[in-house]
Amino acid sequence: MGVFVFEDEITTTISPTRVFNSFVNADVVFLKVAAEHIKSVETLEGDGGVGTIRKIVFHEGHGGYIKQKIEVVDKINLQYNDSVIEGDAIVGSIEKILNENKIIPNADGGCTVKSKSTFYTTDESEIPAQILAEGKEKRHGMFKATEAYLLANPDAFN
């Protein structure tokens, strides 16, 4: 098995609590900020906490679906982790993708989200740079859409 890690950081003026709550309520957020890409979000198992499995179905032309398992929800340390365990993101030798998100408060009241994606593969083959670049672009796009939603709706996810 191979393990490949990709790390990224995004800084925002949104408070750490609101950013964390948007991760925790991603099923609601996805449909609000990316309705043109995401057709539905369904909880298959669990209550939204650790162990919950969600199926995210995309509109035609934006991929098929992914299944996501919530791994960590730590309100005190502002940590939210999930794994992509099935679907169109699991291509080639990729077995699963673990996404770790640590939200770090900034002095100005905003925060920095430090993200780490760990790709687990069935063999030692490299993850193509195109897949990593597409993943980063999608993550940034979703974050910017969420940020815009939170700025436009100051009472959301307090």
Side-chain angles (χ1 to χ4, degrees), residues 38-137:
I38 297 174
K39 184 176 183 178
S40 65
V41 180
E42 176 186 2
T43 299
L44 302 176
E45 200 175 297
D47 61 1
V50 173
T52 295
I53 297 175
R54 292 189 283 231
K55 182 177 183 179
I56 302 165
V57 178
F58 301 95
H59 288 293
E60 192 171 321
H62 296 283
Y65 79 97
I66 61 170
K67 281 189 184 172
Q68 178 186 61
K69 181 178 182 183
I70 299 172
E71 305 284 356
V72 173
V73 179
D74 184 342
K75 190 174 184 174
I76 294 169
N77 295 304
L78 301 175
Q79 177 92 22
Y80 181 89
N81 302 353
D82 65 63
S83 292
V84 178
I85 57 172
E86 185 181 304
D88 294 319
I90 306 299
V91 294
S93 65
I94 298 172
E95 186 174 28
K96 81 172 187 175
I97 305 165
L98 173 62
N99 299 302
E100 301 173 82
N101 300 285
K102 176 73 176 153
I103 300 157
I104 300 164
N106 294 336
D108 65 359
C111 63
T112 299
V113 180
K114 291 190 176 199
S115 299
K116 177 175 152 184
S117 294
T118 305
F119 292 75
Y120 294 90
T121 61
T122 56
D123 58 25
E124 297 296 322
S125 60
E126 293 284 325
I127 304 296
Q130 178 184 351
I131 289 177
L132 295 176
E134 287 172 1
K136 180 179 181 177
E137 183 180 326

